[in-house]
C-alpha cells in the first residue's frame, strides 16, 4: 500500500521547514517534507549571508520581515539572532527617494534613522572614505541570524508523530486529475554525486527504485528548483535560478563585531563573521542557471576588495580566506511567489524569495499555513504575492533588492 500524507511539502529548506512548523502549530497532522538534500549542503538557506531586515520598498515585504523579526526576537538565542542593525549608504541620486522610504519604514513600526556622512563616520569610525556618499540610514531592529540554527529550530517545533522528514528523494513524476495532485513518485538518490548532478540540472537515470506516495495537499517550496518541479504538474513559473557569491576575508586591523550588516551604495554588503568579514555582491550581469562554482580570488579581486577599500583605509590589506556560491530563485519583480496555484484545488507554493527567504521565512510559513488550513490569510494578506500576478500585470514594485 502506498504511503499517504495530508500535507506534502516538496523542499526542506528554510521555507519548507517554516511551513511544516506553522502547519503543526495550527493543528495539522500527517505532514511530510521531502528533499534530496535535507541536511542543506546545497541549500540556498545554508549559502545565505544571514541578513535580516524590514527595510523594504513594498509594504507586503515590510510586513513579512517585520513579523518574522518579532519572532526571531523571542527566540534570539536559539536562532542566533543578533539585533545590531543595518547600515545603508547612499549616493546623491538615490538620497531624496530614500528619505521618503524612511517615512514609510517609521510609519510601519520599523525604526530607521537618517545619518549625515559625518554622523556615519562618528558611529562607524572605520568608514573613513565616504566620498560620494550623501547620506546613510541605520535601522536598529534589523540584524544578523544563523540560517542553519533557524531551520533547525523550525524543525524542532514539529512533534515527531506529526511529520516524516524524507531525505535523499527527488520527485520524478506527479499524478494529477480534476485539478488536483493525487500522488508523487519519489526516486532515491543516495550518493553526493547523484544529488549534485540532480541539483545542477543533469537529468540522468539514478538507478534506484521509485516509491508512489499519495498526497491530499501538495506544497511546492523547492526554492530555485521550484520551476522544474512545477513543470511536472503542468505549471509554468516565471522565476529563474541565479548564482550569488560570497567571500570570506580577514582584516587584522578591523573588528566589525559590534556592528550588523552594512550595505554600500555600490551594492556590496558585508558584516562580521566569526572573526572574519563576510562580503557579497550580486553582479547584475550574472547569467541564470544552476551554477555552484565559486570564482574565488577572481571574484574577490574584481568585485569585493575594490568596493571595501573604497570605503575604509583599514581594508587596504585583506586576506582572502574562502567563500561560496549559492542559488536563489528570482521572480520577475524580485518578490516571493506565495499562495494557492491557479487551476488547482490542492496545490500551494512558496518560493522565489530572491535570497530573502531567511528574513521572511517565519511570517511566510505562518501565512501559507493559515491559507491552507483556514481557507484565507489571517495575520498578513499575501494575496498580492500570488503567482498569477504576472499574467495579470500586477507586479509588486520592490526597489530594495539587496
Amino acid at each position: 500500500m502506498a504511503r499517504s500524507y495530508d500535507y506534502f511539502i516538496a523542499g526542506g529548506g528554510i521555507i519548507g521547514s517554516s511551513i511544516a512548523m506553522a502547519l503543526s502549530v495550527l493543528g495539522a497532522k500527517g505532514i511530510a517534507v521531502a528533499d534530496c538534500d535535507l541536511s542543506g549542503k546545497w541549500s540556498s538557506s545554508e549559502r545565505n549571508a544571514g541578513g535580516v531586515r524590514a527595510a523594504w520598498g513594498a509594504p507586503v515585504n515590510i510586513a513579512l520581515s517585520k513579523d518574522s523579526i518579532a519572532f526571531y526576537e523571542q527566540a534570539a538565542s536559539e536562532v542566533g539572532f543578533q539585533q545590531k542593525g543595518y547600515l545603508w549608504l547612499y549616493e546623491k541620486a538615490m538620497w531624496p527617494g530614500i528619505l521618503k522610504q524612511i517615512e514609510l519604514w517609521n510609519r510601519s513600526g520599523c525604526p530607521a534613522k537618517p545619518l549625515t556622512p559625518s554622523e556615519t563616520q562618528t558611529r562607524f569610525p572605520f568608514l573613513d572614505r565616504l566620498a560620494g556618499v550623501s547620506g546613510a540610514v541605520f535601522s536598529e531592529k534589523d540584524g544578523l541570524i544563523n540560517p542553519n540554527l533557524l531551520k533547525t529550530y523550525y524543525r524542532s517545533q514539529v512533534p515527531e508523530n506529526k511529520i516524516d522528514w524524507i531525505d535523499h528523494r527527488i520527485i520524478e513524476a506527479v499524478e494529477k486529475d480534476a485539478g488536483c495532485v493525487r500522488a508523487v513518485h519519489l526516486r532515491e538518490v543516495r550518493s553526493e554525486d547523484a544529488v549534485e548532478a540532480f541539483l545542477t540540472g543533469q537529468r540522468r537515470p539514478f538507478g534506484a527504485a521509485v516509491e508512489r506516495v499519495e498526497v491530499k495537499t501538495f506544497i511546492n517550496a523547492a526554492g530555485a528548483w521550484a520551476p522544474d518541479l512545477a513543470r511536472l504538474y503542468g505549471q509554468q513559473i516565471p522565476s529563474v535560478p541565479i548564482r550569488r557569491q560570497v567571500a570570506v576575508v580577514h582584516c587584522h586591523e578591523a573588528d566589525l563585531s559590534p556592528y550588523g550588516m552594512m550595505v554600500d551604495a555600490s551594492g556590496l554588503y558585508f558584516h562580521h563573521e566569526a572573526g572574519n568579514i563576510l562580503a557579497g555582491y550580486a553582479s547584475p550581469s550574472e547569467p541564470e542557471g544552476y551554477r555552484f562554482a565559486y570564482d574565488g580570488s577572481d571574484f574577490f579581486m574584481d568585485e569585493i576588495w575594490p568596493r571595501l577599500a573604497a570605503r575604509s583605509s583599514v581594508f587596504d590589506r585583506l586576506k582572502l580566506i574562502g567563500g561560496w556560491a549559492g542559488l536563489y530563485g528570482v521572480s520577475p519583480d524580485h518578490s516571493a511567489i506565495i499562495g494557492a496555484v491557479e487551476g488547482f484545488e490542492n496545490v500551494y507554493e512558496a518560493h522565489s524569495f530572491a535570497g530573502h527567504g531567511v528574513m521572511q521565512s517565519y511570517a511566510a510559513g505562518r501565512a501559507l499555513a493559515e491559507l491552507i488550513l483556514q481557507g484565507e490569510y489571517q495575520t498578513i494578506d499575501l494575496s498580492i504575492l500570488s503567482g498569477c500576478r504576472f499574467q495579470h500585470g500586477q507586479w509588486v514594485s520592490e526597489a530594495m533588492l539587496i
Side-chain angles (χ1 to χ4, degrees):
M1 179 181 293
R3 281 197 286 180
S4 177
Y5 295 100
D6 292 333
Y7 308 95
F8 187 93
I9 303 170
I14 201 81
I15 299 299
S17 299
S18 174
I19 295 168
M21 181 189 73
L23 286 170
S24 174
V25 168
L26 292 177
K29 298 180 180 180
I31 306 166
V33 176
D35 202 309
C36 66
D37 178 34
L38 198 60
S39 66
K41 176 181 178 181
W42 302 98
S43 170
S44 302
S45 308
E46 302 294 336
R47 294 166 179 252
N48 186 278
V52 172
R53 44 94 172 177
W56 289 87
V60 67
N61 285 325
I62 294 174
L64 277 169
S65 289
K66 178 186 173 184
D67 278 20
S68 294
I69 287 172
F71 176 80
Y72 305 150
E73 289 175 335
Q74 297 172 11
S77 60
E78 292 93 336
V79 303
F81 183 42
Q82 303 175 58
Q83 205 163 28
K84 297 181 178 180
Y86 254 61
L87 177 73
W88 302 76
L89 303 178
Y90 293 101
E91 296 175 340
K92 183 177 181 179
M94 295 188 68
W95 189 238
I98 291 302
L99 291 175
K100 295 181 181 179
Q101 285 296 124
I102 293 175
E103 296 176 6
L104 172 62
W105 297 334
N106 287 328
R107 289 198 307 270
S108 302
C110 306
K113 180 180 179 181
L115 302 173
T116 66
S118 61
E119 289 172 333
T120 302
Q121 190 169 353
T122 297
R123 193 161 185 168
F124 300 83
F126 65 94
L127 294 176
D128 57 359
R129 293 174 175 171
L130 294 177
V133 173
S134 291
V137 177
F138 182 72
S139 47
E140 63 183 33
K141 292 182 71 65
D142 300 338
L144 306 170
I145 203 165
N146 185 314
N148 180 268
L149 289 180
L150 179 59
K151 182 181 69 176
T152 300
Y153 183 77
Y154 287 153
R155 293 180 180 181
S156 72
Q157 302 306 297
V158 188
E160 291 185 4
N161 65 342
K162 289 188 176 184
I163 193 166
D164 279 352
W165 299 98
I166 305 173
D167 198 6
H168 294 290
R169 300 295 190 278
I170 62 173
I171 298 177
E172 186 172 77
V174 172
E175 294 179 22
K176 62 173 184 173
D177 70 80
C180 291
V181 166
R182 301 297 185 184
V184 297
H185 295 192
L186 301 180
R187 183 177 291 277
E188 184 179 26
V189 284
R190 276 291 172 188
S191 73
E192 291 295 318
D193 288 344
V195 171
E196 180 181 0
F198 175 77
L199 293 178
T200 53
Q202 302 175 44
R203 298 297 179 251
R204 67 187 193 191
F206 294 104
V210 174
E211 177 188 9
R212 181 178 180 273
V213 177
E214 296 178 351
V215 302
K216 294 181 180 178
T217 299
F218 182 83
I219 303 160
N220 184 346
W225 297 270
D228 286 356
L229 175 58
R231 280 191 283 272
L232 295 180
Y233 50 86
Q235 185 200 14
Q236 296 296 318
I237 295 175
S239 298
V240 295
I242 300 291
R243 180 183 65 160
R244 291 269 185 92
Q245 298 189 75
V246 170
V248 179
V249 302
H250 183 73
C251 180
H252 179 72
E253 300 177 29
D255 176 16
L256 302 191
S257 59
Y259 312 108
M261 181 73 81
M262 286 155 277
V263 185
D264 185 46
S266 67
L268 172 79
Y269 51 93
F270 61 99
H271 65 77
H272 173 265
E273 180 75 13
N276 297 310
I277 298 170
L278 185 153
Y281 177 75
S283 172
S285 62
E286 179 71 29
E288 65 182 73
Y290 294 104
R291 304 166 61 230
F292 282 102
Y294 169 57
D295 293 338
S297 60
D298 288 342
F299 173 67
F300 168 70
M301 293 300 295
D302 293 344
E303 309 292 4
I304 301 300
W305 180 78
R307 290 178 168 87
L308 284 173
R311 289 293 169 238
S312 175
S313 59
V314 302
F315 295 146
D316 284 344
R317 293 170 298 280
L318 296 174
K319 179 182 179 181
L320 178 62
I321 303 297
W324 62 81
L327 289 176
Y328 300 92
V330 181
S331 72
D333 60 10
H334 291 258
S335 288
I337 296 176
I338 305 175
V341 175
E342 194 172 48
F344 289 87
E345 295 180 10
N346 71 334
V347 180
Y348 299 83
E349 59 188 342
H351 52 74
S352 304
F353 286 80
H356 306 129
V358 169
M359 67 180 74
Q360 297 184 336
S361 58
Y362 170 74
R366 180 192 61 189
L368 187 62
E370 293 168 350
L371 179 65
I372 293 170
L373 296 177
Q374 301 171 14
E376 60 183 6
Y377 293 115
Q378 302 290 319
T379 49
I380 303 177
D381 185 355
L382 300 185
S383 301
I384 194 174
L385 295 179
S386 169
C388 65
R389 70 183 186 265
F390 303 108
Q391 303 170 29
H392 305 308
Q394 298 172 336
W395 291 27
V396 176
S397 177
E398 180 53 70
M400 312 291 290
L401 301 182
I402 296 173

